[in-house]
Structures are given as structure tokens and as C-alpha cells.
């Protein structure tokens, strides 16, 4: 009985270790990524195997693609008198108006020291999952985001999150 219990415990531990193997993959941003800078205002890394999409109609959005995956950046000027504390809820509401479901957000302090909000959800019409990392100021929203079909998203989000967390705002608008 004890021998059987030991075998089951060891097998369970081994399965746990192997099941978590891919989740802990670390990205070395300088080696595995490409630095993108928006003048002297903002910078972030994106994966080297993503290519810049120059066909985007809205030139305020910078987009990088790899097959079905899209990573994008934009600065949204906010000329309203909304309080910064209200901005995450308003942003989540806008995502829902744009057709997103299961929208959730949480506060997150990223590597650069910025206190951001991380929004997640799914666009109902396409099934595309997304994660937006947003830094709110009194005058602007700095948005670095990722979206992909559910299977691709689930496989890649732990790696992509490291790139999203590389956002640095050097000068606020």
C-alpha cells in the first residue's frame, strides 16, 4: 500500500513538472525581440519574428503581425475631464461596445515601474482573444495589445506578456 502511494505521488509530481514546462519560458527581450521607439516618448519590444504591417489605414496605430497574431501600439489623446481612476472602467466599457465579451481588467505594475491596467477578453463575432496593457495619464492612454485566435493565444500569451510588460513611457503627452 505504501509503495503504491509513493509511486502515485512521484508520478503526479512528474506530470505536474512536465505540464508546467512551457509556461515558464523566459524571453530575453534584447536578444529575442526588436526594440520599437515612438520618437523619444515611448518604447517597447516585440518578437523578432513579427513583421511590421505598413498597410494599416490608421497611421496612429503601429501593428506587428505573425500569421494570425497581431501586436499593436497606439497613443490615444484624452481631452475629456474624466478622472484617471474612472478610466479603466470606461475603457472596459468601450471594449464591450466594440463587441468584446468576458472583459476583465486588473492593476499591474510592470517591469518599467508603470502602474498599468491589463484588459482581457474575446471578440464575440470572431472568437479572437486579446490582452491590452494600458497606461492611463490625465491626457493620454498608452495601449500595447496582443490578439490571436483562442488556441494560438493560449499557447503564446505567457511569452507575449513579457513583451507587453516591456512598455516604457519616457515622456507623457
Amino acid at each position: 500500500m505504501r509503495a503504491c502511494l509513493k509511486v502515485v505521488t512521484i508520478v503526479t509530481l512528474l506530470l505536474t513538472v512536465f505540464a508546467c514546462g512551457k509556461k515558464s519560458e523566459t524571453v530575453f527581450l534584447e536578444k529575442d525581440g526588436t526594440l520599437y521607439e515612438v520618437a523619444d516618448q515611448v518604447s517597447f519590444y516585440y518578437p523578432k519574428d513579427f513583421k511590421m504591417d505598413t498597410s494599416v489605414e490608421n497611421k496612429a496605430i503601429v501593428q506587428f503581425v505573425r500569421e494570425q497574431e497581431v501586436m499593436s501600439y497606439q497613443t490615444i489623446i484624452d481631452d475629456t475631464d474624466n478622472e484617471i481612476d474612472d478610466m479603466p472602467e470606461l475603457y472596459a466599457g468601450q471594449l464591450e461596445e466594440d463587441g468584446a465579451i468576458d472583459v476583465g481588467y486588473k492593476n499591474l505594475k510592470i517591469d518599467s515601474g508603470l502602474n498599468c491596467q491589463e484588459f482581457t477578453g474575446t471578440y464575440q463575432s470572431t472568437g479572437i482573444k486579446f490582452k491590452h496593457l494600458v497606461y492611463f495619464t490625465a491626457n493620454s492612454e498608452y495601449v500595447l495589445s496582443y490578439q490571436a485566435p483562442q488556441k494560438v493565444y493560449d499557447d503564446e500569451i505567457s511569452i507575449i506578456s513579457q513583451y507587453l510588460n516591456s512598455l516604457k513611457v519616457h515622456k507623457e503627452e
Side-chain angles (χ1 to χ4, degrees), residues 5-19:
L5 183 60
K6 287 180 182 178
V7 169
V8 169
T9 302
I10 290 172
V11 168
T12 302
L13 287 172
L14 287 173
L15 287 174
T16 303
V17 167
F18 287 117

Side-chain angles (χ1 to χ4, degrees), residues 31-156:
K31 181 179 149 242
D32 300 328
T34 301
L35 179 65
Y36 187 84
E37 296 176 294
V38 181
D40 61 348
Q41 183 180 7
V42 175
S43 64
F44 58 88
Y45 284 89
Y46 65 93
K48 278 188 178 176
D49 55 347
F50 276 59
K51 301 296 179 217
M52 183 181 278
D53 182 1
T54 56
S55 68
V56 178
E57 288 182 30
N58 185 346
K59 298 303 177 192
I61 299 174
V62 180
Q63 208 165 15
F64 307 92
V65 296
R66 175 177 64 188
E67 295 178 18
Q68 300 174 314
E69 299 169 89
V70 177
M71 190 170 170
S72 62
Y73 171 79
Q74 68 176 323
T75 302
I76 302 169
I77 304 301
D78 182 5
D79 56 1
T80 66
D81 59 355
N82 293 320
E83 297 292 322
I84 291 178
D85 291 343
D86 296 334
M87 297 305 293
E89 194 169 318
L90 294 169
Y91 190 87
Q94 184 61 53
L95 288 169
E96 289 171 346
E97 279 185 31
D98 293 341
I101 57 172
D102 302 324
V103 175
Y105 67 92
K106 65 180 182 178
N107 295 327
L108 180 69
K109 186 169 188 164
I110 62 174
D111 298 339
S112 66
L114 295 177
N115 290 313
C116 297
Q117 279 69 43
E118 178 184 272
F119 295 83
T120 56
T122 304
Y123 291 109
Q124 187 170 14
S125 63
T126 61
I128 299 290
K129 288 181 76 172
F130 65 83
K131 180 183 277 192
H132 292 201
L133 190 68
V134 185
Y135 176 60
F136 295 102
T137 68
N139 302 317
S140 303
E141 300 167 11
Y142 300 88
V143 183
L144 187 57
S145 64
Y146 172 75
Q147 64 183 37
Q150 182 172 348
K151 170 93 173 86
V152 176
Y153 180 97
D154 291 343
D155 289 344
E156 299 295 328

